[in-house]
Amino acid sequence: MGKLFRALLLQFVALSVLAIAVYLLRHVFTPPYSVWVLVLMQAGLAAALSWRLPVWWRWIQFLLPLGLYGASLLQVNPWLSLLIFVLLWLVFANVNKERVPLYLTNSVTRQALKVLAEERFGQQGVQQRFVDLGCGLAGNVVYMSRLPQIEHSLGVETAPLPYFISRLHVWWRGGEVRAQDLWKTDLSGFDVVYAFLSPEPMPKLWHKVQQEMRAGSVFVSNSFAVPGVEPSQVWELSDRRQTRLYLYEITTSSMSLPEKRVAD
Ligand SMILES: C[S@@+](CC[C@H](N)C(=O)[O-])C[C@H]1O[C@@H](n2cnc3c(N)ncnc32)[C@H](O)[C@@H]1O
């Protein structure tokens, strides 16, 4: 069961428990009751019931009833709430299924990608094909498409609003973006495969990389290492967040590779 659904269910459980308690105790504590006290009890109960969820979920569970009651006191237009919800969904559509939100590669990291493209061009003497899996607003796709060492720069993206913006971006400044699930993207035609996702999909993505990427290509993961697999190189960048790029050189042609491979 998805965490979002579980969190909602726990809010309903808390509400039911509270309603039963209020009904049973109505002779002990005579009504009327302060709504704020009830809302606080709902918030506390929902947060307590969510003890098995990660800590930030408990905070969300606590703040949700307070926010809803506050909004009703302030008479926030429900259409506005709906609009905000729809906008958030359009941007963060992949969070629920993939556990990957939208955050963007910074310029220092992009320069490191450029160095990588230059190095590989120097070694192999051929232009490189680049793909950004989950390309966000296509910043990397555009940047790489402008490098002379890059033959083709592609991004795939499934969140509706980032996809729409990235289409405009590449139309204006170069590169290509497809509304395509990264899991359905064939990696065999790329020399440099870049991903900036989250820890969650890394084991599955590594499996895909092993199956599809050609010998001589490189898989680059921004910030999230593949668990249990030694990267060929780790680039520690000098940006504020001290980004780490994990480079996995594909040295053997796929298909028969074992699940875990320690790269040289
Ligand atoms: C952390 S952002 C990185 C954006 C961009 N690559 C960058 O580095 O600036 C991850 C992106 O992956 C997208 N994403 C997540 N799962 C995806 C999937 N299965 N297929 C395509 N895109 C996906 C998200 O919508 C989000 O835009």
Side-chain angles (χ1 to χ4, degrees):
M1 193 193 304
K3 289 200 176 64
L4 194 62
F5 186 72
R6 207 168 349 147
L8 266 179
L9 192 69
L10 290 172
Q11 286 286 351
F12 281 113
V13 172
L15 188 64
S16 311
V17 170
L18 197 61
I20 293 168
V22 165
Y23 179 76
L24 293 179
L25 297 176
R26 67 191 186 285
H27 300 302
V28 186
F29 303 105
T30 349
Y33 309 115
S34 153
V35 180
W36 268 118
V37 171
L38 290 175
V39 171
L40 271 172
M41 287 172 78
Q42 163 80 25
L45 199 55
L49 289 172
S50 307
W51 61 278
R52 291 184 70 171
L53 292 176
V55 68
W56 61 88
W57 274 99
R58 281 174 252 158
W59 277 107
I60 294 171
Q61 292 289 70
F62 185 78
L63 293 173
L64 185 71
L66 303 181
L68 283 178
Y69 184 53
S72 80
L73 284 184
L74 294 171
Q75 298 191 320
V76 173
N77 187 330
W79 287 107
L80 180 67
S81 313
L82 184 64
L83 180 73
I84 293 172
F85 172 79
V86 170
L87 275 177
L88 285 175
W89 182 81
L90 287 173
V91 176
F92 294 107
N94 284 314
V95 173
N96 195 34
K97 187 170 148 231
E98 304 279 4
R99 324 236 34 95
V100 179
L102 174 69
Y103 32 75
L104 302 176
T105 294
N106 59 31
S107 60
V108 175
T109 309
R110 250 172 229 153
Q111 278 156 30
L113 289 177
K114 178 182 173 198
V115 171
L116 180 67
E118 286 167 351
E119 272 184 9
R120 292 179 58 82
F121 181 72
Q123 286 160 5
Q124 302 182 356
V126 286
Q127 283 183 307
Q128 305 286 297
R129 281 156 298 175
F130 171 84
V131 63
D132 185 355
L133 300 176
C135 66
L137 308 181
N140 303 327
V141 176
V142 167
Y143 180 84
M144 297 301 275
S145 77
R146 298 180 150 219
L147 300 179
Q149 298 82 8
I150 297 294
E151 178 190 332
H152 182 213
S153 177
L154 173 75
V156 294
E157 178 58 60
T158 45
L161 197 54
Y163 168 69
F164 178 69
I165 295 172
S166 62
R167 277 303 292 261
L168 291 178
H169 200 178
V170 296
W171 169 75
W172 180 40
R173 304 189 62 203
E176 185 194 350
V177 165
R178 291 188 200 145
Q180 187 171 294
D181 194 324
L182 69 88
W183 302 113
K184 295 188 178 144
T185 304
D186 180 5
L187 306 180
S188 62
F190 299 96
D191 304 292
V192 180
V193 174
Y194 175 75
F196 186 19
L197 299 169
S198 81
E200 189 96 359
M202 294 316 290
K204 188 176 161 194
L205 186 54
W206 178 243
H207 184 71
K208 182 174 169 59
V209 162
Q210 286 181 301
Q211 293 298 308
E212 296 175 13
M213 285 182 71
R214 283 178 300 100
S217 57
V218 62
F219 170 59
V220 183
S221 176
N222 184 336
S223 305
F224 306 109
V226 180
V229 181
E230 194 69 35
S232 324
Q233 294 180 51
V234 180
W235 288 11
E236 292 180 8
L237 309 183
S238 56
D239 54 345
R240 224 178 33 196
R241 62 185 289 275
Q242 298 189 302
T243 297
R244 282 175 161 218
L245 286 182
Y246 297 92
L247 274 61
Y248 301 86
E249 309 272 359
I250 310 299
T251 49
T252 323
S253 190
S254 63
M255 307 311 174
S256 60
L257 277 176
E259 281 288 293
K260 286 182 181 174
R261 183 173 59 82
V262 178
D264 44 1

